[in-house]
Amino acid sequence: MIRIDGSINPVSADFIHHSISKARAEKATCLVIYLNTPGGLLESTRNIVHDLLESPLPVVVYVAPGGAHAGSAGVFVTMAAHIAAMAPGTNIGAAHPVGLQAMDTVMSEKATNDAAAFIRSIASQRSRNLEWAEQSVRKSLSITENEALAKKVIDLVATNQQELLGRIDGRSVKTSAGIRVLHTKDAKITTLRMDATERILSLLTDPNIIYITLLLGFYGILFELYNPGAILPGIVGVIALVVAFYAMQALPVNYAGLALIIFAIVLFVLEIKIVSHGMLTIGGIISLLLGSLMLVHADSAWQSVRISLSVIIAAVTVTTLFFLFIIGAGLRAQRAKPATGMEAMMGETGEALDELDPSGNIMVHGEIWKAESVEGQIAQGEKIRVIAVKNFKLIVGHLVA
């Protein structure tokens, strides 16, 4: 027995594949998949369906517990099982492919026709309701467990695991290895779980987590560059970026979107250094917003696999404020004139107490300093301006009115 509770992605697809292999190696009578999913990636769904259709081991998909649903990609997975079951209070359907961004009419029709043909082939092979299967794709139909049973979309409704195993005991199912008879009534139940690496990767494949981790990586590295020696931001930034890029392998990332995000950060940095009257900031906001919306391919996933619009808006706002105020304040502080020490004398004005030809004494802020003129002779009493500091001596010039 395994549980898939969340989106269908490469991690869950690999987990199902390995679980089938392990259950077969241990000579299990069947594999029960507890399913609760809003949908997921089309490519991962195809991989799972392929594994179920070609499995020599009977696979039971059980949409449970109460309140669970097999949405979008979950419809394909459920209908591909040798035995499909649902618990009371669950639902199945709404398998229409919806991109993360608006498709044109032709592309939308192509995606819908492809998904419809895919689910018809599954329903036909498993002798399920072909008409409803197609309508779940074309019209996003969704039905309850009792409706699904009445329409022959699933095989049975079971209240719990014990009832499920009792109801399927003695059933014959056709697998890729031939007819198999299930002996489940008194079967020993073994639960297979994802290992630590799979659990972490499963969490990281959430598009929102990847997106936030990516931005945190950029923040950390830039903060370290503008504050050398801080160390911690740099370490966190590099780790976050490496994790983000690794997790991106599990999603259909649009690298044009990634490039726009990087370009947006470059524009924010330039805004701090160059006076553009806000043009660079506006460009950065637009670039970051478009890049965030484009980061995951629109035509490679169902609606459930997307970066939340609220997360994108919050990230764009925080990023803009981060660069304009936090990083900007740091750079302005670095460029600010020193307030104490010898360096604080730079640009100050005073009066020559002696004739500077070229050396003599001057008074600046009520203090007497040794000074040297680099602009020719300066008469006693003439106003001067400090232009440099060298070996505790002020380098001065004429004060231009």
Side-chain angles (χ1 to χ4, degrees), residues 176-200:
S176 62
I179 303 297
R180 294 283 299 272
V181 178
L182 300 180
H183 302 286
T184 56
K185 188 173 183 180
D186 298 315
K188 177 184 177 182
I189 300 172
T190 301
T191 301
L192 302 179
R193 294 182 174 84
M194 290 185 179
D195 58 31
T197 301
E198 289 174 325
R199 288 196 297 272
I200 293 173

mmCIF file of all heavy atoms in Angstrom, residues 176-200:
data_model
loop_
_atom_site.group_PDB
_atom_site.id
_atom_site.type_symbol
_atom_site.label_atom_id
_atom_site.label_comp_id
_atom_site.label_asym_id
_atom_site.label_seq_id
_atom_site.Cartn_x
_atom_site.Cartn_y
_atom_site.Cartn_z
ATOM 1 N N SER A 176 -0.698 -7.431 -17.680
ATOM 2 C CA SER A 176 0.194 -7.664 -18.820
ATOM 3 C C SER A 176 0.801 -9.064 -18.776
ATOM 4 O O SER A 176 1.311 -9.559 -19.774
ATOM 5 C CB SER A 176 1.311 -6.614 -18.834
ATOM 6 O OG SER A 176 2.106 -6.705 -17.654
ATOM 7 N N ALA A 177 0.745 -9.700 -17.591
ATOM 8 C CA ALA A 177 1.293 -11.051 -17.443
ATOM 9 C C ALA A 177 0.207 -12.119 -17.507
ATOM 10 O O ALA A 177 0.479 -13.304 -17.291
ATOM 11 C CB ALA A 177 2.047 -11.161 -16.131
ATOM 12 N N GLY A 178 -1.042 -11.702 -17.774
ATOM 13 C CA GLY A 178 -2.140 -12.653 -17.851
ATOM 14 C C GLY A 178 -3.184 -12.418 -16.764
ATOM 15 O O GLY A 178 -3.153 -11.402 -16.058
ATOM 16 N N ILE A 179 -4.093 -13.340 -16.625
ATOM 17 C CA ILE A 179 -5.161 -13.224 -15.631
ATOM 18 C C ILE A 179 -4.609 -13.504 -14.237
ATOM 19 O O ILE A 179 -3.932 -14.505 -14.022
ATOM 20 C CB ILE A 179 -6.322 -14.192 -15.936
ATOM 21 C CG1 ILE A 179 -6.879 -13.934 -17.336
ATOM 22 C CG2 ILE A 179 -7.423 -14.047 -14.885
ATOM 23 C CD1 ILE A 179 -7.479 -12.559 -17.515
ATOM 24 N N ARG A 180 -4.909 -12.597 -13.296
ATOM 25 C CA ARG A 180 -4.481 -12.780 -11.897
ATOM 26 C C ARG A 180 -5.714 -12.771 -10.998
ATOM 27 O O ARG A 180 -6.604 -11.923 -11.158
ATOM 28 C CB ARG A 180 -3.524 -11.659 -11.489
ATOM 29 C CG ARG A 180 -2.192 -11.663 -12.226
ATOM 30 C CD ARG A 180 -1.268 -12.744 -11.690
ATOM 31 N NE ARG A 180 -0.964 -12.529 -10.301
ATOM 32 C CZ ARG A 180 0.048 -11.768 -9.856
ATOM 33 N NH1 ARG A 180 0.855 -11.165 -10.739
ATOM 34 N NH2 ARG A 180 0.284 -11.630 -8.572
ATOM 35 N N VAL A 181 -5.770 -13.716 -10.063
ATOM 36 C CA VAL A 181 -6.850 -13.769 -9.080
ATOM 37 C C VAL A 181 -6.352 -13.157 -7.777
ATOM 38 O O VAL A 181 -5.284 -13.530 -7.273
ATOM 39 C CB VAL A 181 -7.318 -15.219 -8.842
ATOM 40 C CG1 VAL A 181 -8.418 -15.256 -7.779
ATOM 41 C CG2 VAL A 181 -7.800 -15.843 -10.140
ATOM 42 N N LEU A 182 -7.111 -12.205 -7.239
ATOM 43 C CA LEU A 182 -6.712 -11.520 -6.014
ATOM 44 C C LEU A 182 -7.091 -12.328 -4.777
ATOM 45 O O LEU A 182 -8.222 -12.824 -4.669
ATOM 46 C CB LEU A 182 -7.373 -10.140 -5.951
ATOM 47 C CG LEU A 182 -7.034 -9.175 -7.089
ATOM 48 C CD1 LEU A 182 -7.758 -7.853 -6.913
ATOM 49 C CD2 LEU A 182 -5.532 -8.935 -7.157
ATOM 50 N N HIS A 183 -6.142 -12.441 -3.862
ATOM 51 C CA HIS A 183 -6.381 -13.089 -2.571
ATOM 52 C C HIS A 183 -6.031 -12.066 -1.493
ATOM 53 O O HIS A 183 -4.910 -11.993 -1.017
ATOM 54 C CB HIS A 183 -5.530 -14.345 -2.430
ATOM 55 C CG HIS A 183 -5.769 -15.348 -3.522
ATOM 56 N ND1 HIS A 183 -6.907 -16.133 -3.578
ATOM 57 C CD2 HIS A 183 -5.021 -15.678 -4.613
ATOM 58 C CE1 HIS A 183 -6.853 -16.911 -4.645
ATOM 59 N NE2 HIS A 183 -5.724 -16.659 -5.295
ATOM 60 N N THR A 184 -7.017 -11.260 -1.137
ATOM 61 C CA THR A 184 -6.741 -10.104 -0.281
ATOM 62 C C THR A 184 -7.452 -10.138 1.069
ATOM 63 O O THR A 184 -7.145 -9.312 1.934
ATOM 64 C CB THR A 184 -7.173 -8.807 -1.009
ATOM 65 O OG1 THR A 184 -8.566 -8.922 -1.365
ATOM 66 C CG2 THR A 184 -6.349 -8.585 -2.260
ATOM 67 N N LYS A 185 -8.355 -11.060 1.266
ATOM 68 C CA LYS A 185 -9.174 -11.021 2.478
ATOM 69 C C LYS A 185 -8.332 -11.091 3.743
ATOM 70 O O LYS A 185 -8.530 -10.336 4.692
ATOM 71 C CB LYS A 185 -10.190 -12.154 2.451
ATOM 72 C CG LYS A 185 -11.199 -12.063 3.579
ATOM 73 C CD LYS A 185 -12.295 -13.100 3.412
ATOM 74 C CE LYS A 185 -13.359 -12.960 4.503
ATOM 75 N NZ LYS A 185 -14.444 -13.965 4.353
ATOM 76 N N ASP A 186 -7.388 -11.991 3.790
ATOM 77 C CA ASP A 186 -6.541 -12.137 4.977
ATOM 78 C C ASP A 186 -5.083 -11.786 4.669
ATOM 79 O O ASP A 186 -4.157 -12.268 5.325
ATOM 80 C CB ASP A 186 -6.621 -13.580 5.491
ATOM 81 C CG ASP A 186 -8.032 -13.949 5.919
ATOM 82 O OD1 ASP A 186 -8.663 -13.129 6.606
ATOM 83 O OD2 ASP A 186 -8.496 -15.042 5.539
ATOM 84 N N ALA A 187 -4.895 -10.949 3.673
ATOM 85 C CA ALA A 187 -3.534 -10.609 3.236
ATOM 86 C C ALA A 187 -2.841 -9.710 4.259
ATOM 87 O O ALA A 187 -3.466 -8.898 4.939
ATOM 88 C CB ALA A 187 -3.578 -9.907 1.881
ATOM 89 N N LYS A 188 -1.538 -9.899 4.357
ATOM 90 C CA LYS A 188 -0.735 -9.037 5.210
ATOM 91 C C LYS A 188 -0.511 -7.706 4.494
ATOM 92 O O LYS A 188 -0.143 -7.668 3.321
ATOM 93 C CB LYS A 188 0.616 -9.692 5.510
ATOM 94 C CG LYS A 188 1.545 -8.827 6.338
ATOM 95 C CD LYS A 188 2.899 -9.504 6.522
ATOM 96 C CE LYS A 188 3.866 -8.611 7.291
ATOM 97 N NZ LYS A 188 5.193 -9.245 7.432
ATOM 98 N N ILE A 189 -0.745 -6.612 5.209
ATOM 99 C CA ILE A 189 -0.650 -5.280 4.599
ATOM 100 C C ILE A 189 0.714 -4.668 4.917
ATOM 101 O O ILE A 189 1.097 -4.545 6.087
ATOM 102 C CB ILE A 189 -1.768 -4.359 5.108
ATOM 103 C CG1 ILE A 189 -3.137 -4.959 4.768
ATOM 104 C CG2 ILE A 189 -1.625 -2.959 4.515
ATOM 105 C CD1 ILE A 189 -4.292 -4.234 5.397
ATOM 106 N N THR A 190 1.446 -4.291 3.895
ATOM 107 C CA THR A 190 2.739 -3.625 4.057
ATOM 108 C C THR A 190 2.653 -2.236 3.438
ATOM 109 O O THR A 190 2.237 -2.100 2.277
ATOM 110 C CB THR A 190 3.863 -4.414 3.368
ATOM 111 O OG1 THR A 190 3.928 -5.730 3.933
ATOM 112 C CG2 THR A 190 5.207 -3.719 3.546
ATOM 113 N N THR A 191 3.012 -1.255 4.209
ATOM 114 C CA THR A 191 2.953 0.127 3.715
ATOM 115 C C THR A 191 4.335 0.556 3.219
ATOM 116 O O THR A 191 5.326 0.459 3.952
ATOM 117 C CB THR A 191 2.486 1.085 4.826
ATOM 118 O OG1 THR A 191 1.192 0.687 5.280
ATOM 119 C CG2 THR A 191 2.425 2.513 4.313
ATOM 120 N N LEU A 192 4.390 1.009 1.988
ATOM 121 C CA LEU A 192 5.626 1.543 1.414
ATOM 122 C C LEU A 192 5.577 3.067 1.491
ATOM 123 O O LEU A 192 4.556 3.677 1.149
ATOM 124 C CB LEU A 192 5.782 1.102 -0.047
ATOM 125 C CG LEU A 192 5.790 -0.409 -0.302
ATOM 126 C CD1 LEU A 192 5.928 -0.685 -1.791
ATOM 127 C CD2 LEU A 192 6.918 -1.071 0.470
ATOM 128 N N ARG A 193 6.663 3.660 1.951
ATOM 129 C CA ARG A 193 6.715 5.116 2.081
ATOM 130 C C ARG A 193 7.888 5.688 1.294
ATOM 131 O O ARG A 193 8.882 4.997 1.067
ATOM 132 C CB ARG A 193 6.844 5.529 3.551
ATOM 133 C CG ARG A 193 5.618 5.194 4.391
ATOM 134 C CD ARG A 193 5.783 5.668 5.815
ATOM 135 N NE ARG A 193 4.567 5.491 6.601
ATOM 136 C CZ ARG A 193 4.213 4.375 7.201
ATOM 137 N NH1 ARG A 193 5.013 3.320 7.133
ATOM 138 N NH2 ARG A 193 3.082 4.309 7.884
ATOM 139 N N MET A 194 7.735 6.926 0.905
ATOM 140 C CA MET A 194 8.841 7.605 0.235
ATOM 141 C C MET A 194 10.016 7.713 1.192
ATOM 142 O O MET A 194 9.823 7.919 2.407
ATOM 143 C CB MET A 194 8.428 9.024 -0.196
ATOM 144 C CG MET A 194 7.422 9.079 -1.319
ATOM 145 S SD MET A 194 7.124 10.803 -1.831
ATOM 146 C CE MET A 194 5.943 10.560 -3.161
ATOM 147 N N ASP A 195 11.237 7.598 0.656
ATOM 148 C CA ASP A 195 12.399 7.802 1.517
ATOM 149 C C ASP A 195 12.604 9.298 1.730
ATOM 150 O O ASP A 195 11.877 10.134 1.161
ATOM 151 C CB ASP A 195 13.652 7.160 0.919
ATOM 152 C CG ASP A 195 13.994 7.678 -0.466
ATOM 153 O OD1 ASP A 195 13.706 8.855 -0.761
ATOM 154 O OD2 ASP A 195 14.565 6.918 -1.270
ATOM 155 N N ALA A 196 13.587 9.656 2.552
ATOM 156 C CA ALA A 196 13.802 11.059 2.913
ATOM 157 C C ALA A 196 14.057 11.930 1.688
ATOM 158 O O ALA A 196 13.516 13.039 1.565
ATOM 159 C CB ALA A 196 14.975 11.171 3.897
ATOM 160 N N THR A 197 14.857 11.421 0.751
ATOM 161 C CA THR A 197 15.163 12.193 -0.453
ATOM 162 C C THR A 197 13.911 12.445 -1.271
ATOM 163 O O THR A 197 13.685 13.570 -1.747
ATOM 164 C CB THR A 197 16.195 11.441 -1.320
ATOM 165 O OG1 THR A 197 17.384 11.228 -0.553
ATOM 166 C CG2 THR A 197 16.537 12.246 -2.567
ATOM 167 N N GLU A 198 13.074 11.431 -1.432
ATOM 168 C CA GLU A 198 11.836 11.582 -2.203
ATOM 169 C C GLU A 198 10.879 12.549 -1.522
ATOM 170 O O GLU A 198 10.215 13.346 -2.197
ATOM 171 C CB GLU A 198 11.173 10.225 -2.393
ATOM 172 C CG GLU A 198 11.922 9.308 -3.349
ATOM 173 C CD GLU A 198 11.330 7.922 -3.400
ATOM 174 O OE1 GLU A 198 10.843 7.443 -2.343
ATOM 175 O OE2 GLU A 198 11.367 7.302 -4.472
ATOM 176 N N ARG A 199 10.805 12.508 -0.181
ATOM 177 C CA ARG A 199 9.897 13.418 0.522
ATOM 178 C C ARG A 199 10.340 14.865 0.375
ATOM 179 O O ARG A 199 9.519 15.765 0.155
ATOM 180 C CB ARG A 199 9.823 13.045 2.008
ATOM 181 C CG ARG A 199 9.058 11.758 2.284
ATOM 182 C CD ARG A 199 8.675 11.653 3.749
ATOM 183 N NE ARG A 199 9.834 11.590 4.616
ATOM 184 C CZ ARG A 199 10.455 10.472 4.964
ATOM 185 N NH1 ARG A 199 10.024 9.317 4.485
ATOM 186 N NH2 ARG A 199 11.493 10.491 5.771
ATOM 187 N N ILE A 200 11.652 15.091 0.483
ATOM 188 C CA ILE A 200 12.168 16.454 0.336
ATOM 189 C C ILE A 200 11.940 16.951 -1.082
ATOM 190 O O ILE A 200 11.478 18.079 -1.301
ATOM 191 C CB ILE A 200 13.669 16.505 0.688
ATOM 192 C CG1 ILE A 200 13.870 16.225 2.180
ATOM 193 C CG2 ILE A 200 14.267 17.867 0.322
ATOM 194 C CD1 ILE A 200 15.325 16.090 2.596
#
